[in-house]
Amino acid sequence: PKFVNDGFAMPRNWQKATDLMGAKVMNKADEKLGQIEDIIVDGDSGRILFGVLSFGGFLGVGDKLFALPWSALRLSGDGKVFALDVDKETLKQAAGFDKTNWPNFADAQFAAANYKQYKQKPYWESRTAGAEEKQIGRTPANSRDRWNQEASTWLKASDLCCMTVRNEQDVELGKLEDLALDTESGRVLYGILSHRGRLHAIPMPSLRSSSDTKHLVLNVNESQLADSMSFT
């Protein structure tokens, strides 16, 4: 399907982040390039920034990692395989990184070079912010306005999927079990919160990282959460 850059259109389907981590990545020559090791998201806007490809090595030893712009990846209809239009030899020569030394995915130079490497147009170049806003560097107030801004923060989906959620009174509400992703637009739809044996779909803009980045904050009390729509 054509990649949809409007991250706020109603999704046609969705995937669990945990189902996508480990998915195979194939090229047009039907060569296996590796698998998705992790997914990098912008915690402010909910945009999926990169899929992290694990390439080479044997049984996870010596693998080289590559940050792939999400727009460069196409997910198959069954949600099991990603397609990437890069041949194996080109990928071998591309700039990657080691598992023990992850880059700053919010670094503007890194992001621009990465998008250029995979022949993708940087999403932030399509932003419509006025010149005055751009000049004073004001951070937009909500996730819709932040959608086309360069990322200033980033999080691994693997870290988010086990993070504790507390409220403003520092009461623990539960843990995030998973993320619901709209892979077509590249947006995190919900964080799936486990609370007292039930699951709750929490819109990502409602969750924010704590000052020490060790847990997430949701501005509701336990009774409000218990009374909200849930599932198993």
Side-chain angles (χ1 to χ4, degrees):
K2 182 180 178 182
F3 186 80
V4 179
N5 197 36
D6 180 5
F8 296 90
M10 284 296 294
R12 292 185 288 185
N13 50 58
W14 65 277
Q15 300 285 337
K16 292 193 290 184
T18 53
D19 286 346
L20 296 180
M21 289 186 280
K24 291 190 297 184
V25 179
M26 310 288 291
N27 64 13
K28 286 186 175 181
D30 205 31
E31 297 173 310
K32 183 180 177 180
L33 300 176
Q35 66 182 33
I36 294 297
E37 181 87 3
D38 216 323
I39 296 168
I40 306 300
V41 305
D42 178 355
D44 289 331
S45 69
R47 181 187 280 275
I48 305 174
L49 300 173
F50 300 101
V52 177
L53 171 70
S54 175
F55 174 78
F58 178 68
L59 296 180
V61 178
D63 287 359
K64 191 176 181 182
L65 299 182
F66 297 87
L68 307 175
W70 194 254
S71 56
L73 293 163
R74 295 291 182 274
L75 185 62
S76 61
D78 61 8
K80 295 181 179 180
V81 180
F82 282 99
L84 176 67
D85 189 13
V86 174
D87 65 75
K88 223 169 188 178
E89 290 305 311
T90 299
L91 195 58
K92 285 180 181 179
Q93 303 303 317
F97 58 97
D98 187 81
K99 282 187 174 183
T100 61
N101 187 25
W102 288 55
N104 176 10
F105 296 104
D107 179 77
Q109 288 185 325
F110 171 85
N114 186 279
Y115 271 69
K116 182 179 180 180
Q117 180 172 296
Y118 294 100
K119 300 177 181 178
Q120 299 297 307
K121 181 179 179 181
Y123 67 84
W124 56 89
E125 291 184 358
S126 63
R127 65 186 176 192
T128 57
E132 182 181 352
E133 178 179 330
K134 188 174 180 181
Q135 182 179 353
I136 64 175
R138 185 171 68 242
T139 301
N142 57 64
S143 56
R144 184 181 291 271
D145 292 336
R146 290 194 297 264
W147 183 249
N148 286 323
Q149 298 288 317
E150 295 169 80
S152 59
T153 62
W154 60 275
L155 296 161
K156 296 180 187 178
S158 60
D159 288 340
L160 282 167
C161 287
C162 60
M163 198 169 279
T164 299
V165 178
R166 297 177 176 273
N167 64 16
E168 299 282 2
Q169 291 71 46
D170 204 33
V171 175
E172 184 171 331
L173 300 175
K175 289 189 177 181
L176 278 197
E177 295 285 329
D178 218 323
L179 302 176
L181 308 180
D182 176 4
T183 56
E184 190 174 350
S185 68
R187 177 164 64 109
V188 183
L189 300 171
Y190 301 99
I192 307 303
L193 173 64
S194 175
H195 174 75
R196 296 182 180 178
R198 301 286 296 180
L199 298 177
H200 300 258
I202 309 298
M204 278 306 291
S206 300
L207 293 163
R208 62 177 176 82
S209 183
S210 62
S211 58
D212 61 6
T213 69
K214 292 183 178 180
H215 67 271
L216 296 170
V217 179
L218 176 64
N219 190 23
V220 298
N221 59 43
E222 287 189 279
S223 61
Q224 289 173 317
L225 187 59
D227 290 342
S228 67
M229 188 179 298
S230 63
F231 55 98
T232 60

